[in-house]
Amino acid sequence: EPEVTQTPSHQVTQMGQEVILRCVPISNHLYFYWYRQILGQKVEFLVSFYNNEISEKSEIFDDQFSVERPDGSNFTLKIRSTKLEDSAMYFCASSAANNQPQHFGDGTRLSIL
Amino acid sequence: AQSVTQPDIHITVSEGASLELRCNYSYGATPYLFWYVQSPGQGLQLLLKYFSGDTLVQGIKGFEAEFKRSQSSFNLRKPSVHWSDAAEYFCAVGATGGGNKLTFGTGTQLKVEL
């Protein structure tokens, strides 16, 4: 069964540094999402992306965050200047349509030191 | 704004016993509803979904859920729990338009006693 893949599985970064989290969505999917889960808390929506532009973003997704689909297969989340509170598990998801289920990757654990 | 409440943070059941995990949602229209399961260190696996039609939906691993509009609920059930079902379960509501963001509940941690 096709799946969403995320790399790396764990990223350790110094505060203030830029980090890029990478995702390969399911190949025929058109809608892409990023969520995060701070340890012990619930999964929170960050951003949705369709047709090469952001469809919706949460208040968490401020100017420090950006998303990009640099080619036909990858979908990236960039955090420009990381803060301690950015430490979380970041999940990428994709769906075939906006009324179809979202399929999640295994996540990238981001640790900010 | 959409929201999801999972009132039970932890549930412990014996292997072979039946299971019901509660989920209540708030959404202004007919929602899309989902249950996901997360094993330690893993991503979110879709168990089942409700979009429309039959209010009793079947999912993977023997799970089912029933959409009750009058109670704004979407409880997850399984008639006989297996030890491998121990995990965290998340209920989610999806917007039926726009960016289709999912709003998750806080999750229910299921422990299965042998």
Side-chain angles (χ1 to χ4, degrees), chain B residues 6 8-11 21-22 87-89 106-110:
Chain B
Q6 292 181 249
D8 303 305
I9 298 173
H10 298 280
I11 282 186
L21 302 183
R22 296 184 289 166
E88 188 149 25
Y89 291 79
T106 50
T108 298
Q109 186 73 48
L110 174 65

Side-chain angles (χ1 to χ4, degrees), chain B residues 3-107:
Chain B
S3 66
V4 176
T5 301
Q6 292 181 249
D8 303 305
I9 298 173
H10 298 280
I11 282 186
T12 300
V13 298
S14 299
E15 189 175 38
S18 64
L19 172 70
E20 182 168 25
L21 302 183
R22 296 184 289 166
C23 171
N24 292 97
Y25 70 89
S26 174
Y27 186 66
T30 300
Y32 296 151
L33 294 163
F34 308 86
W35 276 98
Y36 285 86
V37 61
Q38 184 181 33
S39 298
Q42 301 294 311
L44 297 160
Q45 182 183 23
L46 179 69
L47 283 177
L48 48 76
K49 62 185 185 290
Y50 172 79
F51 281 178
S52 64
D54 194 349
T55 56
L56 183 64
V57 293
Q58 303 296 321
I60 62 171
K61 305 184 181 186
F63 285 92
E64 66 178 27
E66 187 170 11
F67 170 57
K68 293 185 177 179
R69 183 189 305 274
S70 61
Q71 298 176 19
S72 297
S73 69
F74 189 58
N75 294 348
L76 181 71
R77 300 193 295 249
K78 186 170 185 177
S80 178
V81 169
H82 189 263
W83 64 266
S84 60
D85 293 324
E88 188 149 25
Y89 291 79
F90 292 94
C91 181
V93 60
T96 52
N100 195 33
K101 71 176 186 181
L102 292 180
T103 299
F104 285 84
T106 50

Side-chain angles (χ1 to χ4, degrees), chain A residues 55-75:
Chain A
S55 308
E56 186 175 0
K57 60 183 180 179
S58 71
E59 61 273 13
I60 302 169
F61 194 88
D62 61 22
D63 292 344
Q64 294 299 312
F65 290 86
S66 62
V67 289
E68 190 179 26
R69 188 150 165 85
D71 53 43
S73 59
N74 290 281
F75 179 53

